[in-house]
Amino acid sequence: MRQSFLSAALLAAVAVNSTATPDQHALNNTPLPDRETQRPNVVFILTDDQDVHLDSLEYMPLLRKHLIEKGTQFTKHYCTTAVCCPSRVTLWTGKAAHNTNVTDVSPPYGGYPKFVSQGLNKNYLPVWLQQAGYNTYYTGKLFNAHTILNYFAPFPGGFTGTEFLLDPHTYDYMNSVFQRNKLPPVSHKGEYSTDVLTKKAYGLLAEAVKADKPFFLTLAPIGPHSNINVKDLLTPPFGGIVFDAPIPAKRHENLFPDVKVPRTANFNPDSPSGANWVRELKQLNETNIEYIDHFYRSRLRALQAVDELVEGVIAKLEDYGILDNTYIVYSSDNGFHIGQHRLQPGKSCGYEEDINVPLIIRGPGISANLTTDVVSTHTDLAPTFFELLGIPLRDDFDGTPIPLTKEAIAQAKNSGTRREHVGVEYWGIAGGEGIYDSGLVGPRNNTYKSIRLYGEGYNLYYSTWCSNEHELYNLDDDPGQLNNLLFEEDGPKPSTKPLTLLGYPVSKIVARLDTLLFLLKSCKGQVCVKPWEKLHPEGDVHTLKDALSSNFDNFYEIEQTRVSFTTCQPGYIISAEGPQFDQDGLIFRDGLSWDQWT
Ligand SMILES: *[C@@H]1O[C@H](CO)[C@@H](O)[C@H](O)[C@H]1NC(C)=O
Ligand SMILES: *[C@@H]1O[C@H](CO)[C@@H](O)[C@H](O)[C@H]1NC(C)=O
Ligand SMILES: *[C@@H]1O[C@H](CO)[C@@H](O)[C@H](O)[C@H]1NC(C)=O
Ligand SMILES: *[C@@H]1O[C@H](CO)[C@@H](O)[C@H](O)[C@H]1NC(C)=O
């Protein structure tokens, strides 16, 4: 069993015993529960496509009051695949998409059927929680392609009580279909989806409280995802499905009339930016901008019912007398962009808007009103839940528990082995949303692998596309990721310009980042968490800073092979993905040398 220092710290903070100090109790001004006799509950609120960078959290005052000010906000929390189904499967398994091979929203590469055929329906968080003595409840969207036709083939494993939203009605805000336990689906036409879900949430909570076990309840409303009309989905021609602006509840439809997408430097820039198809986008015209401002307001309005859900659930937990023994965790499957880099509304990119997602945790032992930039990812959520609930960690987790107490966060940051990296991956076609995109633009290869690296003294993003184009941004100088340090007018090659970054030639940094990406793109288990340690078994390298030592110039700049693709594939087809890293022997197979690559 792997147990970190955090576990001990948290257990200490959670346990009530005669020697508990007043300070421990003062953590959140309430008596703390005894984990032995009273195991904590979890309410996990998972929104759909909610951004951090477009300020969505600023428009949720109840979330602020009940979660941000009463809990800890993780500002550098990332998804590892910026689209719903792959990201949700990662979140529910603690495994990166390259280890679940659920890489798309629909078959053959993704969706609920792929989740089932990969054997994951018997081997994911709810199943493990039940094995650990928890009752598990869920309402809302589970995965894409979980439909009114396949919901029983098989039923999702591991749940005590469910009220699932089902396709093709999932994103139709005024025409949803929910399906309870093993009963047939029920239409809620004319009712507002998030309000229906709120009632279901209260019902499941009442069931959970009556039972004699601790519980894990997930609430997964669709807000602020785009609206998709079932009628459009089921009527030919099928190519013209529009992901239109989300629909708010009637009571919120006129809010924020003057609000616009934040006009950051990367909003509809005058010059093209990014790489590959992003770089070919034309600047948006006034009509288009008015539309995406409307789209943006619609998202904020659609989030209001979610905000009310947050307050409602807190009030219920308080009424039941279990608020102080319940962790409330708030996050989103992936982020969202609107107009940045000239993009129509959507996700699937590796840029900060799409991968940086909300994570807020409130509960026993968690500091109130604390914000931290400690790096974490969705692969860490399942391990984090395990640790919160005192369940021994699994060896096949690709993530690690997030430090949750003030002490653990400080320790993680000061240890010299601070986690800096996020491995990001994507396969398939990029689809935009909104009336100016869906179905109108041809398929755009969007297979890429990248690293987000945030550490003491640097703040970087490095990517390799299936076209072998590269990107490198220094987000300290260029938060909008507009200046690609590896862009070459004459083709997809790394830059030969004599650029420096952090006082080093760019090529020196790229050699390290590329090797890191090489490991992360096919890592398993602890190698995903501690890649530098795999590269340097002597234990003298834990960060990019350590790796930049000139002692390792030869190792990184001469000996290692480079990440590359032979073709763009819609799924995880290893033969298209160039040389491979062999975890066991640290062998780089069939590699191009640095010289061949540059
Ligand atoms: C503005 O851009 C949209 C999307 O490309 C296009 O459909 C529309 O015709 C343009 N409108 C004008 C007035 O140019
Ligand atoms: C939370 O922290 C912020 C910034 O540190 C402070 O302005 C605010 O008053 C705090 N709120 C509460 C409820 O403590
Ligand atoms: C997508 O990738 C495939 C395989 O590499 C290539 O044949 C095709 O031309 C690409 N399509 C676009 C639009 O770039
Ligand atoms: C992932 O799944 C696809 C579709 O079933 C399959 O073609 C591919 O070989 C799988 N990749 C790996 C690495 O197993």
Side-chain angles (χ1 to χ4, degrees):
M1 135 175 188
R2 291 193 280 118
Q3 280 280 21
S4 70
F5 60 87
L6 161 63
S7 186
L10 210 57
L11 272 167
V14 170
V16 160
N17 55 51
S18 50
T19 60
T21 65
D23 276 347
Q24 278 173 319
H25 283 192
L27 262 177
N28 52 8
N29 296 321
T30 49
L32 295 164
D34 181 344
R35 183 179 280 177
E36 289 305 306
T37 57
Q38 214 188 334
R39 300 175 75 190
N41 309 300
V42 174
V43 175
F44 180 33
I45 303 171
L46 180 65
T47 56
D48 203 320
D49 289 357
Q50 185 172 2
D51 60 273
V52 170
H53 287 268
L54 309 182
D55 294 346
S56 67
L57 297 173
E58 303 305 316
Y59 292 85
M60 300 184 74
L62 303 174
L63 174 81
R64 177 158 302 278
K65 175 175 164 198
H66 296 292
L67 297 188
I68 297 180
E69 290 187 354
K70 297 270 170 42
T72 298
Q73 184 179 6
F74 297 82
T75 59
K76 288 284 184 286
H77 183 75
Y78 289 86
C79 66
T80 52
T81 305
V83 69
C84 306
C85 185
S87 185
R88 285 165 190 251
V89 173
T90 286
L91 189 158
W92 291 119
T93 58
K95 294 187 183 74
H98 66 259
N99 288 330
T100 66
N101 201 12
V102 178
T103 60
D104 199 354
V105 293
S106 52
Y109 300 107
Y112 182 61
K114 180 67 166 163
F115 169 78
V116 170
S117 69
Q118 290 293 115
L120 297 169
N121 195 36
K122 298 189 175 113
N123 203 17
Y124 73 134
L125 189 70
V127 173
W128 303 328
L129 290 172
Q130 282 193 331
Q131 287 165 354
Y134 271 77
N135 277 344
T136 51
Y137 302 87
Y138 198 106
T139 182
K141 169 184 161 187
L142 183 62
F143 299 125
N144 304 79
H146 179 213
T147 75
I148 52 175
L149 300 177
N150 73 7
Y151 68 91
F152 50 80
F155 286 103
F159 288 107
T160 314
T162 55
E163 291 272 10
F164 290 122
L165 257 172
L166 294 180
D167 276 355
H169 295 259
T170 307
Y171 299 117
D172 202 339
Y173 279 84
M174 294 306 294
N175 187 11
S176 59
V177 165
F178 281 77
Q179 184 266 318
R180 175 174 165 78
N181 297 337
K182 296 192 168 172
L183 301 173
V186 174
S187 166
H188 289 270
K189 195 166 182 175
E191 298 173 69
Y192 187 62
S193 176
T194 306
D195 291 344
V196 177
L197 181 137
T198 299
K199 280 188 221 142
K200 309 274 186 202
Y202 296 161
L204 291 173
L205 182 57
E207 285 174 38
V209 170
K210 252 187 251 149
D212 59 352
K213 286 185 181 178
F215 65 85
F216 190 107
L217 165 65
T218 304
L219 313 178
I222 54 170
H225 192 282
S226 300
N227 185 70
I228 303 175
N229 221 303
V230 180
K231 212 167 85 233
D232 293 350
L233 262 178
L234 300 182
T235 318
F238 301 108
I241 303 161
V242 175
F243 283 53
D244 210 339
I247 295 178
K250 193 97 188 125
R251 62 189 179 282
H252 302 132
E253 67 184 0
N254 296 318
L255 292 174
F256 321 124
D258 303 320
V259 170
K260 293 179 172 177
V261 182
R263 297 307 199 249
T264 47
N266 66 0
F267 180 80
N268 200 26
D270 290 340
S271 307
S273 57
N276 204 321
W277 61 270
V278 178
R279 199 160 192 104
E280 285 164 19
L281 295 170
K282 294 202 170 56
Q283 202 168 18
L284 309 174
N285 65 27
E286 276 312 313
T287 321
N288 200 156
I289 289 178
E290 269 173 40
Y291 172 73
I292 63 178
D293 281 334
H294 154 75
F295 197 107
Y296 178 72
R297 287 189 289 273
S298 305
R299 283 170 54 86
L300 300 179
R301 291 166 179 158
L303 278 168
Q304 300 311 301
V306 178
D307 207 30
E308 293 171 357
L309 166 67
V310 170
E311 173 152 85
V313 167
I314 297 278
K316 294 273 178 205
L317 291 170
E318 195 152 33
D319 288 349
Y320 287 123
I322 54 173
L323 180 57
D324 296 333
N325 190 33
T326 302
Y327 291 101
I328 300 119
V329 179
Y330 187 97
S331 193
S332 173
D333 48 5
N334 50 260
F336 207 72
H337 57 246
I338 305 180
Q340 296 76 30
H341 305 278
R342 307 176 170 183
L343 289 156
Q344 299 291 348
K347 54 257 183 184
S348 83
C349 295
Y351 304 118
E352 205 64 359
E353 290 80 8
D354 292 27
I355 59 172
N356 193 193
V357 292
L359 178 65
I360 303 145
I361 306 182
R362 166 188 176 161
I366 310 288
S367 293
N369 204 23
L370 183 73
T371 296
T372 173
D373 64 355
V374 67
V375 173
S376 59
T377 82
H378 271 359
T379 55
D380 300 331
L381 286 187
T384 302
F385 288 131
F386 266 47
E387 184 145 282
L388 278 175
L389 306 183
I391 307 169
L393 297 180
R394 297 172 58 88
D395 288 332
D396 61 355
F397 280 145
D398 296 336
T400 191
I402 300 170
L404 296 177
T405 63
K406 226 181 212 159
E407 298 70 29
I409 290 168
Q411 155 86 27
K413 287 181 139 194
N414 299 331
S415 61
T417 61
R418 166 178 184 169
R419 154 91 164 272
E420 299 178 335
H421 67 277
V422 179
V424 180
E425 46 196 3
Y426 199 93
W427 294 265
I429 301 299
E433 304 180 15
I435 56 172
Y436 292 117
D437 200 318
S438 305
L440 299 179
V441 186
R444 298 174 290 203
N445 289 328
N446 196 49
T447 297
Y448 61 83
K449 299 177 189 298
S450 60
I451 293 180
R452 180 72 174 91
L453 201 85
Y454 177 79
E456 200 66 47
Y458 38 82
N459 189 4
L460 306 171
Y461 176 80
Y462 173 70
S463 77
T464 296
W465 291 71
C466 60
S467 58
N468 293 316
E469 283 162 88
H470 294 84
E471 289 171 286
L472 175 63
Y473 301 101
N474 175 3
L475 280 89
D476 277 339
D477 293 349
D478 177 21
Q481 298 170 292
L482 290 168
N483 180 25
N484 177 10
L485 300 173
L486 299 179
F487 177 68
E488 283 272 310
E489 287 298 344
D490 56 356
K493 290 198 305 181
S495 179
T496 50
K497 287 175 217 143
L499 285 169
T500 60
L501 176 60
L502 318 174
Y504 296 99
V506 164
S507 63
K508 194 175 156 98
I509 296 195
V510 168
R512 271 74 176 171
L513 293 177
D514 198 79
T515 304
L516 190 63
L517 184 58
F518 205 117
L519 255 67
L520 293 177
K521 80 186 175 91
S522 54
C523 66
K524 287 191 167 65
Q526 283 296 291
V527 176
C528 304
V529 177
K530 295 179 174 291
W532 297 115
E533 285 77 350
K534 182 72 185 174
L535 290 162
H536 297 273
E538 315 77 31
D540 50 348
V541 174
H542 307 284
T543 61
L544 173 65
K545 189 167 166 236
D546 298 341
L548 281 165
S549 156
S550 58
N551 294 341
F552 307 122
D553 284 354
N554 204 57
F555 179 73
Y556 285 108
E557 295 166 35
I558 312 277
E559 289 175 19
Q560 304 309 324
T561 52
R562 299 294 142 205
V563 176
S564 65
F565 291 83
T566 47
T567 54
C568 292
Q569 292 294 336
Y572 185 29
I573 310 299
I574 289 192
S575 57
E577 302 202 354
Q580 295 295 313
F581 158 57
D582 177 338
Q583 282 234 67
D584 304 319
L586 232 198
I587 298 163
F588 297 154
R589 295 228 179 95
D590 311 324
L592 291 174
S593 72
W594 176 257
D595 282 351
Q596 289 168 302
W597 186 71
T598 50

